Amino acid sequence: MSTQSLYDVSLAQATNMIRLTGHQNTVLLQGHMGTGKSSMLKTLASLLPGHTPVYFDCTTKDLGDITIPKISGDEGSNFVQYVPNEELGLHLEGPIILMIDEYGKANPAVKTALLRLMLERKSAGYSLHKDSIIFSTTNKGAEGVGDILPAHARNRITVLTVRKPTVVEWIEDFALENGIDPIILSWVTENPHVFASFEDVIDPKDNEYIFHPKAAGRVSFVTPRTLEMASHWLKQREHMSMHELTAALIGTLGQRAASDMSAYITVAMDMPKLDEIKANPLTAKVPTNNSVVCMVVHRTLSNIERNWTDAWMDYMVRLPAEAQGMFANAVKRSVEKDSSGKPKSKRLMEVFTNKKYMDWSLKNNHLFAADKR
């Protein structure tokens, strides 16, 4: 690992850095495709509710899309003004959060036209509100998807390399609160190599799940984005044939991942229904397959509410100790405060303050592991 890669940042760290200095410095996030860089606009908007989120997609723009001329003035004193594209948010009065997406893929003229805005917060005679935040995104140049950034442009911005999330980060910071299917969550938990970087894999045959620029013909692969897409397919599995579902997963995740996941889909039929756990926690079926137990825990973390936390705690103590520890540690990490000082999950905070959960925690303190993220 190089010294530079030691200072790659997580999405959460990048979000905090942009929140703190994005009104002064434009940050360019460069990272692997499909890892959630573009979703940071939504995250920042939730942290800064007084700002208006604005999205600008560089890949669809040419120089004439940045500003257009407008002839003004009286006869004999005509002059040209420029009207900016509304997608830049320059017409808005209050503070904005402007995300300039795919800056590295932009037409060279578009890159140049945006430089003053990124450095001075001004363009075409307009100025952004002093509290406005600007950040941009691009893919890693090594991915070979056309992301090129000239030196004079880099000198005007702060470039941060965003690493891929760990499995725990992806599950607890994104998947649990976005309803990702428990089959996906269990599968990535047992296959953390699907989040590996191609930069750490010399021979693409050593990891057939991920994107690799040297893997000719590998057009579908696992990323956080395609895992979310696969979750949409899995949630419709009761209405699809296995042939249809497998075809959809191959086209989303690739052949290797789809083949592996088929086994998880089969064993998922052994999961007890949620309603069964809620109504009869002391007699509801306890799976014997460890993968299914993992699915039950992840499904609960994604869905649990205050009104059935007691029932879940009565059921959970019947599970293996490892599964109980998995649930408890996920709850513990999810109630830690984010960069805004708020718990990451209000829903799991209600579990954390439940009397049965607190009593269990006192008796089973040895199951709480150090955060290994």
Side-chain angles (χ1 to χ4, degrees):
M1 180 181 289
S2 68
T3 302
Q4 183 174 350
S5 64
L6 287 172
Y7 290 95
D8 292 354
V9 299
S10 68
L11 283 173
Q13 290 171 325
T15 300
N16 185 50
M17 296 168 75
I18 293 170
R19 182 180 66 87
L20 293 173
T21 62
H23 63 291
Q24 296 171 311
N25 299 336
T26 294
V27 172
L28 172 69
L29 304 175
Q30 61 177 12
H32 296 269
M33 67 179 77
T35 53
K37 299 184 298 297
S38 298
S39 67
M40 287 181 60
L41 179 62
K42 180 179 178 181
T43 303
L44 284 164
S46 68
L47 295 173
L48 300 168
H51 289 59
T52 301
V54 179
Y55 176 82
F56 186 84
D57 182 4
C58 287
T59 62
T60 63
K61 304 298 188 296
D62 208 334
L63 179 60
D65 298 317
I66 306 301
T67 59
I68 60 172
K70 174 186 176 183
I71 306 298
S72 302
D74 299 326
E75 185 177 350
S77 61
N78 290 335
F79 58 93
V80 176
Q81 290 180 313
Y82 286 88
V83 179
N85 191 319
E86 70 170 353
E87 291 184 23
L88 292 171
L90 286 159
H91 63 293
L92 300 174
E93 294 184 359
I96 68 170
I97 306 169
L98 172 60
M99 183 177 80
I100 301 174
D101 202 15
E102 302 289 8
Y103 181 70
K105 295 186 181 71
N107 180 307
V110 171
K111 290 178 185 175
T112 301
L114 291 173
L115 287 179
R116 188 184 183 203
L117 179 62
M118 296 170 75
L119 179 64
E120 301 178 23
R121 275 50 182 168
K122 297 179 180 179
S123 182
Y126 291 79
S127 297
L128 290 176
H129 187 280
K130 63 182 181 62
D131 295 326
S132 291
I133 287 173
I134 301 178
F135 74 101
S136 56
T137 70
T138 193
N139 289 110
K140 287 198 164 201
E143 289 182 330
V145 289
D147 292 71
I148 302 173
L149 200 62
H152 69 92
R154 292 182 72 98
N155 193 243
R156 288 168 167 82
I157 57 181
T158 297
V159 180
L160 295 178
T161 299
V162 180
R163 60 170 172 79
K164 281 189 171 183
T166 65
V167 170
V168 173
E169 285 172 341
W170 182 71
I171 290 176
E172 296 180 4
D173 296 344
F174 175 78
L176 292 181
E177 294 304 310
N178 287 276
I180 302 300
D181 192 278
I183 292 177
I184 298 283
L185 304 185
S186 299
W187 183 72
V188 299
T189 298
E190 297 188 19
N191 296 277
H193 49 277
V194 302
F195 279 2
S197 167
F198 69 84
E199 294 167 314
D200 298 324
V201 180
I202 297 175
D203 186 346
K205 294 181 181 178
D206 291 339
N207 190 328
E208 298 180 3
Y209 301 91
I210 64 173
F211 168 82
H212 200 294
K214 296 180 181 178
R218 189 182 298 175
V219 295
S220 297
F221 38 84
V222 176
T223 67
R225 178 166 55 206
T226 58
L227 287 170
E228 182 179 13
M229 293 165 61
S231 175
H232 299 326
W233 288 114
L234 286 172
K235 288 183 178 182
Q236 299 300 323
R237 60 186 177 272
E238 294 182 1
H239 310 292
M240 303 172 69
S241 68
M242 196 60 192
H243 181 89
E244 292 171 327
L245 182 56
T246 302
L249 292 176
I250 290 173
T252 304
L253 299 172
Q255 180 74 51
R256 182 62 187 273
S259 298
D260 287 4
M261 203 169 289
S262 295
Y264 279 75
I265 297 169
T266 301
V267 299
M269 297 176 64
D270 292 332
M271 276 199 299
K273 301 291 185 184
L274 264 182
D275 288 343
E276 182 183 355
I277 293 175
K278 295 176 185 179
N280 303 294
L282 301 180
T283 58
K285 179 173 63 175
V286 174
T288 56
N289 184 295
N290 288 335
S291 295
V292 181
V293 172
C294 187
M295 291 180 201
V296 171
V297 171
H298 283 135
R299 181 182 64 183
T300 302
L301 286 166
S302 297
N303 294 280
I304 194 166
E305 301 288 349
R306 177 192 295 177
N307 61 358
W308 57 280
T309 299
D310 282 351
W312 166 254
M313 294 304 302
D314 291 339
Y315 178 82
M316 187 187 77
V317 296
R318 300 170 57 209
L319 299 177
E322 293 82 0
Q324 297 181 46
M326 179 192 301
F327 178 83
N329 279 287
V331 170
K332 178 176 177 289
R333 285 189 291 262
S334 293
V335 300
E336 293 172 352
K337 293 181 179 179
D338 59 22
S339 58
S340 68
K342 300 177 181 178
K344 294 179 182 177
S345 172
K346 293 181 181 179
R347 183 173 53 82
L348 292 180
M349 174 59 81
E350 294 181 346
V351 176
F352 190 73
T353 56
N354 175 273
K355 185 178 185 306
K356 287 191 175 183
Y357 177 86
M358 291 191 290
D359 290 345
W360 179 93
S361 298
L362 290 174
K363 295 177 183 178
N364 297 275
N365 188 56
H366 61 287
L367 293 178
F368 284 96
D371 195 335
K372 299 179 180 179
R373 306 208 300 178

